[in-house]
Amino acid sequence: MAPTDATYAITGASGRLGGRIARRLAAAGIAQTLLARTPSRAPQLPGAVAVPGAYDDHAALVRALRGTDRVLMVSASESPDRLRDHRTFIDAAAEAGVGHLVYISFYGAAPDAAFTLARDHWHTEQHIRARGIPFTFLRDNLYADFMPALVGADGAIRGPAGDGRAALVAQDDIADATVAVLRDPHPHAGRAYELTGPESLTLSEVASTLAAVGGRPVSYVPETTEEAYASRAVYGAPGWQLDAWVSTYTAIADGSLAAVTTTVEDLTGHRATSLDQVLRAAADGPASP
């Protein structure tokens, strides 16, 4: 195992995924610095110190990251400026002499990915490579935990996914894999891992699973791409956000998210969690660290 005196810095600890990772490190007795735009909102964890670390604040980032051995970079919130902010963070990490950067990327990240936000992840990865920071990329499939949020008030999931499939991954599995890499990063240096669940599901199968666990009818109603844009226009979202919403479904339709990997088990030693298991665990209450 890696030395216990390594220093850790974690971003996104006030969010769902970063919080899971920070809690796991704290439970293992690992001291960590939590970077946050608003440090008072960071979780109160044993051995953790929250400091200013907004992604667009280069000077604060350099101060917070100076000489840190292992850094987790959770992607910033979706916005038109996300890629710019990512580059600011990466430049600060390089200037600060970070030893190893673990970046939470997206499955199939590529410059021409069907899912528009996966293109930002690819460009982020390229900037990390260009700056020469030792890295590991964890490319996560769609979150199984978020499937209930796709269901409208009428009990329907609507989108242009056709009969395509996605290998949905549990956030707890991502957190376990991330902690495994952070605690012993050297074997994973320069690697990009695709993280998925144990099966690839159509949205009809997702709907059936949601119905079985939730005890209420849920269905998948296919839309054309044009219908998807029209049905979401009522929210008044900017064009880039509409593109991201709709392309989530078109990426499922074209098979971009379908392949299942064994990466979760390879990194953690336990089998990946199914959608059914994720939903039942959520129904039973909050997960432990």
Side-chain angles (χ1 to χ4, degrees):
M1 182 57 67
T4 56
D5 60 352
T7 52
Y8 293 74
I10 304 299
T11 67
S14 59
R16 293 182 180 91
L17 181 57
R20 282 172 161 85
I21 294 163
R23 289 194 297 273
R24 282 162 167 76
L25 291 173
I30 295 173
Q32 56 189 311
T33 299
L34 306 180
L35 277 66
R37 180 175 295 277
T38 307
S40 61
R41 295 183 57 191
Q44 302 294 311
L45 299 171
V49 177
V51 302
Y55 274 30
D56 59 356
D57 189 338
H58 179 88
L61 291 168
V62 172
R63 288 193 298 270
L65 296 173
R66 179 75 69 188
T68 304
D69 298 311
R70 301 163 193 182
V71 174
L72 170 68
M73 180 185 175
V74 176
S75 55
S77 300
E78 297 175 6
S79 80
D81 301 322
R82 179 160 75 159
L83 184 55
R84 182 199 66 190
D85 291 346
H86 282 183
R87 288 172 172 154
T88 298
F89 183 93
I90 294 159
D91 290 343
E95 182 177 334
V98 164
H100 193 103
L101 181 64
V102 178
Y103 173 58
I104 303 296
S105 186
F106 190 78
Y107 184 100
D112 57 351
F115 179 44
T116 55
L117 298 183
R119 303 171 192 173
D120 288 350
H121 287 288
W122 184 85
H123 287 293
T124 299
E125 290 182 2
Q126 298 311 300
H127 197 64
I128 293 170
R129 292 179 188 272
R131 291 309 310 261
I133 306 169
F135 68 84
T136 304
F137 302 146
L138 298 178
R139 296 173 172 170
D140 307 334
N141 207 293
L142 296 177
Y143 295 156
D145 312 65
F146 286 1
M147 290 302 103
L150 300 183
V151 183
D154 61 352
I157 300 172
R158 287 184 165 81
D163 295 323
R165 295 178 176 273
L168 310 172
V169 64
Q171 286 189 314
D172 279 329
D173 287 348
I174 299 167
D176 288 344
T178 303
V179 169
V181 173
L182 283 169
R183 296 192 67 176
D184 191 13
H186 303 295
H188 310 292
R191 303 288 299 275
Y193 293 113
E194 311 272 355
L195 273 60
T196 76
E199 57 191 345
S200 194
L201 302 173
T202 67
L203 288 189
S204 292
E205 291 169 335
V206 169
S208 295
T209 304
L210 288 167
V213 175
R216 66 185 181 101
V218 180
S219 62
Y220 168 56
V221 179
E223 291 180 313
T224 65
T225 301
E226 293 74 18
E227 288 170 340
Y229 274 98
S231 66
R232 289 155 177 79
V234 296
Y235 298 107
W240 69 266
Q241 184 70 75
L242 287 173
D243 291 340
W245 288 344
V246 175
S247 66
T248 304
Y249 295 90
T250 56
I252 296 174
D254 76 358
S256 298
L257 307 178
V260 173
T261 73
T262 62
T263 305
V264 166
E265 186 168 0
D266 295 341
L267 292 176
T268 68
H270 67 71
R271 287 180 54 80
T273 309
S274 68
L275 174 62
D276 179 83
Q277 291 170 320
V278 169
L279 297 174
R280 293 188 186 281
D284 290 341
S288 58

